[in-house]
Amino acid sequence: MKTIALFYIFLCLIGFLFFIYSPIFNQFYAQLGGGLAFWLGICYLTVRYPLRGVLSSLRSRSGWYILLSYLSVHYLAYSLLLDKILGISLSTGFGLTYAPMESIGLNNGIGLLFSPSISMGNSQFYLDLSFFSLVMGLVIGLLVLGNIAELRRLRGLRRDVSLVGLPLAGIVSGSTCCISIASILSYYAPIVVTGMALVLLDVGYVGLPFLTAIFLWLNYKNLKHVNIVLVEKLKWGPQLK
C-alpha cells in the first residue's frame, strides 16, 4: 500500500516539474501531461486517505444518484459564472485551453490551478473547468455524500429534530459556499476591475473550494463521532439500567 502511495506522490512531483520546465517543451502537451499526472496523484491520495470512509456511501444506488446530481449542479453553476468573473467568451465547440509560460521558474506551478482547462459550448452557454475545479468538485461532492449518509444514520438513531437540523444546515451551507460566493464575486467584478479586485477573485477561486472542503470534512468527522457515541450508548444503555 505504501508503494502505491509513493507512486502517486511521485506522479504529483513529475506533474509539478513539467509545469516548471514547460517553456522548454511544447507547452500545451507539457501542461496537459503535467496537469493530468499532478491532479491524478492528488485525487488518489485525497480519496484514498482523508475520504476513505466516504467511499462506502457509493455502494448504494442512491449514493451514486446524490453524487452525480450534486456534481452536475456544481460544475454547471460554477462554470456559467466564469464569463462574469473573468469576462471571457468562448467560441462554439469543444477544446482544451492553456496559459503559456514565459520562462522556467517555480511560479509556473501556480498554473496547475488554472491551466489547462476543458471548454465546451458557445458564447451563451458553456462549461469551462480546470483540473483543479474538477478535482475539488469531486472532493466536495464526496464530502456532501458522506455527510448525508452520516445524517441518515443519525436520524435513524435519534428523532430529535434539533440534533438533525443543525448538521443539515451545515451540509447545505457548506456545499453551496463556492457557488454562492462566486455569484457575489461575479456581480462586483465588472464594477471594480483593479489589480486588487483580480487578486481577490483569484483567492476566491482557489481558496473557497478549499474552505468548503475543510468545513464539510470537519462536519463529516463530527457526525461520524456522534453516531459512534450514540451506537455505544444504545448498545450499553439497557445493561446500565
Side-chain angles (χ1 to χ4, degrees), residues 114-131:
F114 307 97
S115 179
S117 64
I118 304 170
S119 306
M120 65 184 75
N122 53 50
S123 56
Q124 282 76 40
F125 182 85
Y126 61 84
L127 298 178
D128 191 272
L129 295 165
S130 66
F131 292 148

Side-chain angles (χ1 to χ4, degrees), residues 157-174:
L157 294 171
R158 289 287 297 270
R159 297 295 178 180
D160 188 343
V161 176
S162 62
L163 188 62
V164 175
L166 186 59
L168 179 61
I171 297 170
V172 173
S173 61

Side-chain angles (χ1 to χ4, degrees), residues 64-107:
W64 281 103
Y65 286 153
I66 292 171
L67 177 63
L68 294 177
S69 298
Y70 176 80
L71 289 179
S72 299
V73 173
H74 181 94
Y75 290 147
L76 180 62
Y78 209 69
S79 294
L80 292 178
L81 291 168
L82 188 67
D83 179 56
K84 290 185 178 180
I85 294 176
L86 301 179
I88 63 173
S89 296
L90 302 177
S91 58
T92 302
F94 171 86
L96 290 171
T97 60
Y98 72 102
M101 310 292 180
E102 295 182 357
S103 60
I104 297 173
L106 288 175
N107 57 326

Side-chain angles (χ1 to χ4, degrees), residues 12-33:
C12 293
L13 178 60
I14 289 297
F16 184 74
L17 290 175
F18 261 96
F19 261 76
I20 290 177
Y21 292 98
S22 64
I24 65 175
F25 302 108
N26 181 307
Q27 292 206 44
F28 172 74
Y29 292 108
Q31 291 189 24
L32 178 60

Side-chain angles (χ1 to χ4, degrees), residues 108-210:
N108 290 349
I110 299 175
L112 282 163
L113 300 172
F114 307 97
S115 179
S117 64
I118 304 170
S119 306
M120 65 184 75
N122 53 50
S123 56
Q124 282 76 40
F125 182 85
Y126 61 84
L127 298 178
D128 191 272
L129 295 165
S130 66
F131 292 148
F132 166 77
S133 56
L134 286 171
V135 170
M136 289 306 301
L138 176 61
V139 168
I140 293 172
L142 286 171
L143 284 168
V144 168
L145 174 61
N147 273 275
I148 291 175
E150 291 300 323
L151 190 60
R152 283 178 173 176
R153 288 184 59 201
L154 181 61
R155 188 176 61 182
L157 294 171
R158 289 287 297 270
R159 297 295 178 180
D160 188 343
V161 176
S162 62
L163 188 62
V164 175
L166 186 59
L168 179 61
I171 297 170
V172 173
S173 61
S175 61
T176 58
C177 174
C178 293
I179 296 174
S180 61
I181 299 299
S183 301
I184 296 173
L185 292 175
S186 69
Y187 178 79
Y188 286 104
I191 300 174
V192 183
V193 290
T194 62
M196 181 58 68
L198 293 176
V199 170
L200 291 175
L201 291 176
D202 289 340
V203 170
Y205 172 80
V206 176
L208 290 174
F210 278 115

